[in-house]
Amino acid sequence: MENEVHRVTKPRLSRSRELEMKTTLQELLLYIIFLTDLCILTFGMVSTDMYYLNKVMSTLFLETPLSETDDTDFKSIASITDFWKYVEGPLLDGLYWDTFYPSTTSVYPSHTSHIYYENLLLGVAQVRQLKIRNDTCSIYPSFRAFMKECYGPYHYPSEDTEPFGLKNDTEWRYSPAKSLSLWHWGRIGLYSNGGFTFTLPKSKNASLDKLSYLKEHGWLTRGTRVVFIDFSMYNANVNLFCIVRLVLEFPATGGILPSWQFYSVKLLRYVTYYDYFLASCEVIFCLFILSFLIQEFLKMKTLKKEYVKNAWNWLDVLLILLSIFAIAFNVYRTMEVARLMENLLSNSFAYPDFYFLAFWQTRYNNMISVNVFFAWIKIFKYISFNKTMTQLSSTLSRCAKDIIGFAIMFFIIFFAYAQLGYLVFGSQVDEFSTFQNCIFTQFRIVLGDFNFASIEQANRILGPIYFITFVFFVFFVLLNMFLAIINDTYSEVKADFSVIPNREFEISDLIRQSYNKALVKLKLKSASQTEDLYTLAHFLDRDDLATGIHAMVTLRLSRYTAELEKQLKHVTYRLDLIMKNLPEGSGTGDKK
């Protein structure tokens, strides 16, 4: 009997777990509000207009041919002659638009350019080059009679800072870096922010005259290693800045390697009503971060050394730090844009260095992207009580040692093939031109994206052998071993969980119980029915159907017994009243 009573009262003991689950759900709902606010802010930073603006500008400055008879464009520039043709032709034609819509009634100020009629050129364009000194490399003794000068690849210690040419202006004198932007990472080198710099005038004819003057006096020399062309524009229709950097690298091997960067960013934040809505979301975001920060400090004070042993705590700290940096950058960007706009309005003939802000804005966007990614991953913290999620985490933790051991073997073979490919095909195939490219190319081969013809053409014997053996050992053997390790571990974990009864309080139980309580309050269901259903559901979740039915029947019988006792007492009380109210004589006559 005591055992039956214990089984009946067992569901009552789960109220503490129910309270714990309610607390977890409240935290989850609060975190979902925070995540929604964060997503609104991040998606408010980008728009499809950014892509279309970059597309339009790249088509104008990268794909316009040098002339009607020469199909060479910026992407295919290969010589200094092509460079001067480009800057005197497509570049100036793209920067200076002297015509407007035929039916326009707008009056634009003089010395202004509206690229594609909609994009205002901010200030003027800037051209900058970096040079290296002579004797920055060694000439083999047998060739010194034929070669008196040697200009090696670009390195910062080899940079030439001495005046050259006419030595009478900034384009002939070295100017140190003026901004805090990082060095430019090109295709073959890392370049500093200084250099020999000049700006183009506000008119097309004056710019053409200046470029012709520099061309005649040899502004580009054998020591030139890179030329940067920077300019910025603003489109008021979509409230976007487009910052353009065209790069032409002059490798020591000769020729020119062109590259480019187009940044469409939203630097003026608060213009429309939607922008002010985003401002309110930013305030809410700051309040969330402040509350999370206080919560983490209290948790550190309580747990002390145990705090660092939990991986979720590290994730919380990472999210808070990234968010604090984002808030600080937002404040700094607003102040810096105001300063740049003030300088631009005061002197429209100067180059506004919006590239510095665009560079950090893109890094800020990358950081926020990582922040949003980890914010979504953190949801697993609140749903880890689920059986499926527990199986997943148990599978990964149990097979971690096997995967680490397998990964060592995998990367030994993988890097061996990468070195083989680099040494055999590196001088002829672009995908194997660097060791880093070899690694990415091999990952692409595993995914089925490869160019077998180029490998075979580079080496007709080792090419097919490399490809066939790599696909066999890495794809057919090693990857299938990796999947087998995870599959076997998952099967073991699933078998273990099928033996262990599930004693966790599931969300479905809480939702079902809350629904039944609501029906009771609305008088659509009796409290006894709700309690019976809860008792049965509790034992069903424990995979003990017989115990659940027995407990429910016992509970109902005890309730019926109590109800019968109550009714019997009521009947006895009524009979006593009736007996007291009967006449005393009638009772005597009956006795006689």
Side-chain angles (χ1 to χ4, degrees):
M1 185 64 182
E2 292 179 358
N3 188 25
E4 293 178 356
V5 173
H6 175 71
R7 287 182 177 178
V8 173
T9 57
K10 180 75 175 179
R12 302 290 187 182
L13 298 177
S14 63
R15 300 301 182 185
S16 60
R17 184 165 293 142
E18 176 184 353
L19 180 61
E20 178 184 354
M21 182 58 61
K22 285 183 178 180
T23 304
T24 304
L25 280 179
Q26 291 174 358
E27 294 179 357
L28 176 59
L29 292 176
L30 188 64
Y31 185 75
I32 289 177
I33 296 175
F34 164 76
L35 187 59
T36 303
D37 182 74
L38 179 60
C39 291
I40 292 175
L41 290 177
T42 52
F43 283 101
M45 297 187 309
V46 296
S47 68
T48 55
D49 295 325
M50 294 181 176
Y51 167 77
Y52 292 122
L53 184 56
N54 286 339
K55 178 66 176 177
V56 167
M57 292 303 151
S58 62
T59 302
L60 176 62
F61 290 101
L62 302 182
E63 300 179 8
T64 302
L66 299 182
S67 63
E68 296 181 356
T69 59
D70 190 352
D71 294 335
T72 304
D73 56 15
F74 180 84
K75 296 180 180 179
S76 56
I77 289 178
S79 65
I80 295 179
T81 302
D82 293 339
F83 167 79
W84 288 115
K85 287 182 179 180
Y86 173 78
V87 296
E88 292 176 345
L91 178 64
L92 295 185
D93 294 338
L95 288 176
Y96 301 101
W97 286 59
D98 299 329
T99 59
F100 305 100
Y101 283 113
S103 60
T104 183
T105 58
S106 302
V107 178
Y108 295 109
S110 59
H111 301 296
T112 61
S113 174
H114 290 75
I115 302 173
Y116 275 123
Y117 312 109
E118 307 293 348
N119 304 278
L120 174 64
L121 179 64
L122 301 177
V124 295
Q126 174 183 270
V127 183
R128 175 172 62 95
Q129 75 156 317
L130 291 174
K131 301 166 72 262
I132 61 169
R133 299 186 305 272
N134 186 16
D135 298 330
T136 53
C137 53
S138 301
I139 303 176
Y140 192 72
S142 300
F143 291 94
R144 289 176 181 173
F146 305 96
M147 299 179 180
K148 303 297 182 181
E149 298 177 341
C150 184
Y151 295 87
Y154 176 85
H155 297 288
Y156 181 71
S158 304
E159 191 173 298
D160 186 7
T161 59
E162 296 296 326
F164 74 104
L166 301 179
K167 304 180 181 180
N168 58 355
D169 211 339
T170 58
E171 54 262 35
W172 309 104
R173 295 179 178 273
Y174 184 86
S175 300
K178 297 180 181 179
S179 65
L180 300 176
S181 58
L182 299 178
W183 291 7
H184 181 87
W185 187 8
R187 296 174 60 181
I188 58 174
L190 183 64
Y191 305 101
S192 66
N193 289 333
F196 301 88
T197 307
F198 68 91
T199 58
L200 295 177
K202 295 288 286 186
S203 67
K204 181 177 180 181
N205 293 331
S207 299
L208 184 59
D209 294 339
K210 185 166 188 175
L211 290 173
S212 301
Y213 175 79
L214 294 175
K215 177 182 176 181
E216 292 175 0
H217 291 81
W219 188 67
L220 294 181
T221 66
R222 284 190 60 187
T224 300
R225 285 295 171 260
V226 65
V227 174
F228 299 96
I229 303 173
D230 296 297
F231 54 92
S232 307
M233 63 200 75
Y234 174 69
N235 190 308
N237 300 334
V238 292
N239 188 27
L240 289 178
F241 288 82
C242 185
I243 292 88
V244 181
R245 167 166 286 187
L246 305 178
V247 184
L248 298 112
E249 298 178 75
F250 295 73
T253 57
I256 297 178
L257 299 177
S259 59
W260 53 87
Q261 292 177 341
F262 290 83
Y263 295 136
S264 290
V265 293
K266 185 177 181 180
L267 298 178
L268 300 177
R269 298 299 305 276
Y270 310 114
V271 178
T272 63
Y273 290 110
Y274 180 71
D275 294 334
Y276 287 103
F277 167 72
L278 292 178
S280 63
C281 293
E282 291 176 355
V283 175
I284 297 174
F285 177 78
C286 295
L287 294 177
F288 269 113
I289 296 303
L290 180 61
S291 63
F292 291 158
L293 186 62
I294 296 174
Q295 182 180 357
E296 292 304 316
F297 274 123
L298 294 177
K299 191 184 298 183
M300 289 180 184
K301 186 177 180 180
T302 304
L303 299 178
K304 296 181 180 179
K305 294 183 179 180
E306 297 295 327
Y307 180 85
V308 298
K309 297 181 180 180
N310 192 338
W312 293 114
N313 294 334
W314 286 99
L315 181 60
D316 293 337
V317 172
L318 177 62
L319 291 176
I320 292 175
L321 292 178
L322 291 176
S323 300
I324 292 175
F325 181 79
I327 295 172
F329 179 81
N330 267 322
V331 175
Y332 172 76
R333 176 187 53 196
T334 304
M335 298 171 60
E336 186 67 15
V337 169
R339 185 188 66 82
L340 286 175
M341 294 302 296
E342 183 179 356
N343 294 338
L344 178 62
L345 293 176
S346 61
N347 184 11
S348 61
F349 292 86
Y351 165 71
D353 190 10
F354 282 97
Y355 180 82
F356 167 71
L357 278 180
F359 176 85
W360 284 109
Q361 178 68 34
T362 54
R363 272 57 186 178
Y364 166 79
N365 293 343
N366 296 338
M367 181 201 64
I368 289 297
S369 303
V370 174
N371 198 7
V372 172
F373 172 79
F374 284 118
W376 279 100
I377 295 298
K378 188 181 175 181
I379 293 182
F380 290 109
K381 174 183 178 181
Y382 298 101
I383 60 176
S384 58
F385 49 78
N386 182 266
K387 182 178 180 180
T388 304
M389 296 305 305
T390 306
Q391 289 180 355
L392 176 62
S393 60
S394 300
T395 300
L396 296 178
S397 60
R398 186 177 296 187
C399 68
K401 294 183 179 179
D402 294 335
I403 289 180
I404 292 174
F406 167 78
I408 295 174
M409 177 180 63
F410 174 83
F411 283 109
I412 288 175
I413 299 177
F414 190 84
F415 285 122
Y417 272 100
Q419 291 184 0
L420 174 63
Y422 175 64
L423 295 175
V424 175
F425 315 115
S427 61
Q428 302 182 51
V429 183
D430 180 59
E431 288 82 359
F432 294 87
S433 58
T434 64
F435 186 72
Q436 181 181 1
N437 287 348
C438 291
I439 295 175
F440 290 119
T441 300
Q442 291 187 163
F443 279 117
R444 290 170 54 190
I445 292 176
V446 172
L447 297 176
D449 180 16
F450 55 88
N451 186 0
F452 176 74
S454 61
I455 299 176
E456 186 182 23
Q457 185 178 2
N459 195 310
R460 299 179 61 183
I461 297 176
L462 292 180
I465 294 176
Y466 162 84
F467 180 79
I468 294 174
T469 55
F470 176 79
V471 170
F472 176 77
F473 286 109
V474 175
F475 184 76
F476 289 106
V477 178
L478 295 180
L479 287 184
N480 283 284
M481 288 177 60
F482 173 76
L483 296 176
I485 291 173
I486 297 180
N487 188 35
D488 292 343
T489 306
Y490 180 74
S491 300
E492 295 175 2
V493 171
K494 192 173 182 180
D496 294 342
F497 272 78
S498 63
V499 176
I500 302 174
N502 183 18
R503 298 181 181 274
E504 298 292 335
F505 192 89
E506 301 289 346
I507 287 183
S508 57
D509 297 330
L510 181 61
I511 296 176
R512 181 169 55 247
Q513 186 177 354
S514 301
Y515 172 74
N516 291 329
K517 288 181 178 179
L519 292 180
V520 171
K521 291 182 178 180
L522 295 175
K523 298 182 179 180
L524 298 177
K525 182 182 290 188
S526 62
S528 59
Q529 293 177 345
T530 302
E531 191 171 359
D532 292 341
L533 290 175
Y534 173 73
T535 302
L536 180 59
H538 174 81
F539 285 100
L540 285 175
D541 289 338
R542 295 179 59 192
D543 300 326
D544 195 351
L545 179 60
T547 304
I549 296 176
H550 177 76
M552 188 179 67
V553 171
T554 305
L555 181 63
R556 286 187 174 181
L557 288 176
S558 61
R559 190 182 297 114
Y560 292 155
T561 303
E563 186 69 23
L564 289 174
E565 291 179 356
K566 182 178 178 181
Q567 293 181 3
L568 182 60
K569 290 181 180 179
H570 180 70
V571 171
T572 304
Y573 175 73
R574 297 285 294 179
L575 288 175
D576 290 340
L577 291 179
I578 294 173
M579 294 300 295
K580 290 180 180 180
N581 293 332
L582 286 176
E584 188 175 346
S586 61
T588 306
D590 291 338
K591 289 180 181 180
K592 290 181 179 181

